[in-house]
């Protein structure tokens, strides 16, 4: 049997998943957001509610909506969603089920600039996503107000997926919205452009340094059901896996590190086939 090559199917899976979860064609053509019954469910990746093609909601948006309520209540439903998907997939969601992750992957494949895995001071900058999670998602959404209404701070001030998948398509088809463009939109457009340009050189800069969704799923990586297993006794310590890993992880940290998105590039690079998704080798 031929050797299993996950990266051969991952790109097609990402594209197909993005099309399925953002396939409301009427919304793109008419600048209307789908508000049917499917929107009560969340897609596990960073899938903007305001995207005119989105058929499901973003879990971060749902979490902030719960925190925006007048009387604080623990958002058990959204936390349960994160627990279920985190326990099963961990950051496999980031690697395989996130539309904005797909965009960064595609940009990084463009043969311009000398590619780098990480920014300088990566060891400190990687904690930025936890700062965003606590500062904007939890504290910001609970205490920031616009008038008398609480603000979904991450969505409003930072989320690049909302700009790319929501604001830009809506503005291109809705003239009334164009008249309301202000400084906040240009700020978020600037954030998006910086991240897109960085993606040409650095692997997934938003995922590595700013994404609060990745911060949440990363906590589950060590014990999630979907794992990349390392058979230490068969490893020759050639470090081919680390060279192939887009976030530069050694074999002992693959899958269990909060930074691993379980993309499978290490599996393909390993000459001794001691890395694989299941408990048994797939040949």
């Amino acid at each position: 049997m031929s050797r299993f090559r996950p990266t051969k199917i991952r790109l097609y899976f990402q594209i197909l998943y993005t099309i399925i979860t953002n396939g409301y064609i009427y919304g793109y053509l008419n600048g209307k957001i789908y508000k049917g019954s499917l929107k009560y469910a969340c897609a596990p990746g960073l899938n903007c509610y305001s995207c005119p093609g989105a058929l499901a909601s973003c879990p971060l948006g749902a979490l902030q909506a719960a925190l925006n309520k007048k009387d604080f209540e623990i958002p058990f439903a959204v936390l349960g969603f994160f627990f279920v998907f985190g326990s099963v997939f961990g950051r496999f969601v980031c690697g395989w089920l996130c539309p904005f992750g797909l965009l960064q992957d595609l940009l990084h494949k463009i043969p311009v600039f000398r590619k780098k895995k990480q920014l300088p001071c990566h060891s400190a900058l990687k904690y930025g996503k936890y700062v965003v999670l606590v500062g904007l998602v939890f504290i910001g959404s609970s205490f920031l107000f616009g008038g008398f209404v609480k603000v979904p701070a991450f969505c409003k001030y930072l989320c690049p997926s909302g700009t790319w998948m929501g604001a830009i398509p809506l503005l291109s088809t809705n003239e009334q919205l164009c008249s309301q463009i202000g400084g906040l939109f240009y700020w978020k457009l600037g954030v998006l452009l910086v991240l897109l340009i960085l993606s040409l050189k650095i692997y997934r800069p938003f995922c590595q340094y700013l994404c609060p969704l990745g911060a949440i799923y990363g906590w589950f990586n060590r014990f999630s059901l979907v794992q990349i297993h390392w058979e230490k006794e068969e490893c020759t310590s050639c470090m081919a896996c680390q060279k192939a890993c887009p976030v530069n992880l050694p074999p002992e940290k693959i899958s269990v590190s909060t930074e691993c998105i379980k993309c499978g590039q290490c599996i393909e690079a390993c000459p001794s086939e001691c890395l694989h998704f299941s408990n048994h080798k797939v040949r």
Side-chain angles (χ1 to χ4, degrees):
M1 186 181 296
S2 62
R3 185 175 177 181
F4 175 57
R5 298 188 180 278
T7 59
K8 269 192 168 183
I9 65 171
R10 185 171 78 101
L11 179 60
Y12 298 111
F13 192 91
Q14 288 174 286
I15 293 172
L16 180 62
Y17 177 83
T18 298
I19 291 172
I20 290 173
T21 54
N22 295 276
Y24 185 57
I25 304 299
Y26 178 85
Y28 287 114
L29 296 176
N30 295 276
K32 303 289 185 182
I33 299 173
Y34 170 75
K35 296 182 179 180
S37 57
L38 290 175
K39 266 292 176 64
Y40 289 101
C42 290
L46 199 64
N47 201 78
C48 182
Y49 178 97
S50 297
C51 171
L55 295 171
S57 295
C58 172
L60 281 176
L63 177 59
Q64 290 173 99
L67 295 172
N68 285 163
K69 290 183 178 179
K70 182 178 179 180
D71 299 316
F72 176 77
E73 297 177 4
I74 298 176
F76 288 109
V78 186
L79 294 178
F81 174 91
F82 283 125
F83 181 81
V84 170
F85 275 90
S87 297
V88 175
F89 296 107
R91 286 200 76 176
F92 179 90
V93 170
C94 305
W96 294 68
L97 301 176
C98 182
F100 197 70
L102 168 62
L103 177 62
Q104 293 173 92
D105 283 346
L106 293 174
L107 288 171
H108 198 66
K109 292 178 183 293
I110 298 174
V112 294
F113 303 128
R114 184 180 177 183
K115 306 301 180 183
K116 293 188 68 175
K117 294 181 178 181
Q118 294 155 341
L119 288 171
C121 303
H122 168 78
S123 58
L125 292 175
K126 68 181 182 181
Y127 294 105
K129 53 185 171 287
Y130 301 101
V131 173
V132 173
L133 177 63
V134 174
L136 290 182
V137 176
F138 285 108
I139 297 177
S141 296
S142 299
F143 296 102
L144 289 181
F145 287 82
F148 296 100
V149 181
K150 289 184 181 179
V151 173
F154 171 72
C155 293
K156 183 169 183 178
Y157 297 115
L158 184 62
C159 182
S161 181
T163 307
W164 169 55
M165 301 182 70
I168 292 175
L170 287 173
L171 288 170
S172 66
T173 54
N174 193 318
E175 293 183 4
Q176 184 177 358
L177 285 177
C178 290
S179 64
Q180 300 174 22
I181 291 178
L184 182 59
F185 170 75
Y186 291 115
W187 157 255
K188 291 189 66 180
L189 182 62
V191 170
L192 174 64
L193 291 175
V194 168
L195 289 170
L196 296 185
I197 294 169
L198 272 178
S199 296
L200 294 169
K201 184 174 179 66
I202 307 295
Y203 185 76
R204 288 197 178 202
F206 178 71
C207 300
Q208 291 199 67
Y209 304 115
L210 292 174
C211 183
L213 196 56
I216 293 172
Y217 288 132
W219 290 336
F220 294 92
N221 253 6
R222 185 173 293 274
F223 57 86
S224 63
L225 295 180
V226 176
Q227 292 284 347
I228 295 177
H229 296 273
W230 173 46
E231 297 182 19
K232 185 178 180 179
E233 64 280 3
E234 296 189 20
C235 181
T236 62
S237 299
C238 68
M239 308 311 288
C241 56
Q242 184 169 358
K243 292 176 184 176
C245 175
V247 291
N248 201 38
L249 295 175
E252 67 272 13
K253 291 188 178 181
I254 288 171
S255 205
V256 297
S257 168
T258 57
E259 303 304 307
C260 179
I261 61 170
K262 305 182 183 182
C263 64
Q265 291 188 43
C266 55
I267 296 174
E268 291 192 10
C270 179
S272 56
E273 300 184 45
C274 63
L275 290 161
H276 41 84
F277 270 114
S278 64
N279 286 314
H280 302 283
K281 285 187 178 181
V282 181
R283 297 183 185 274

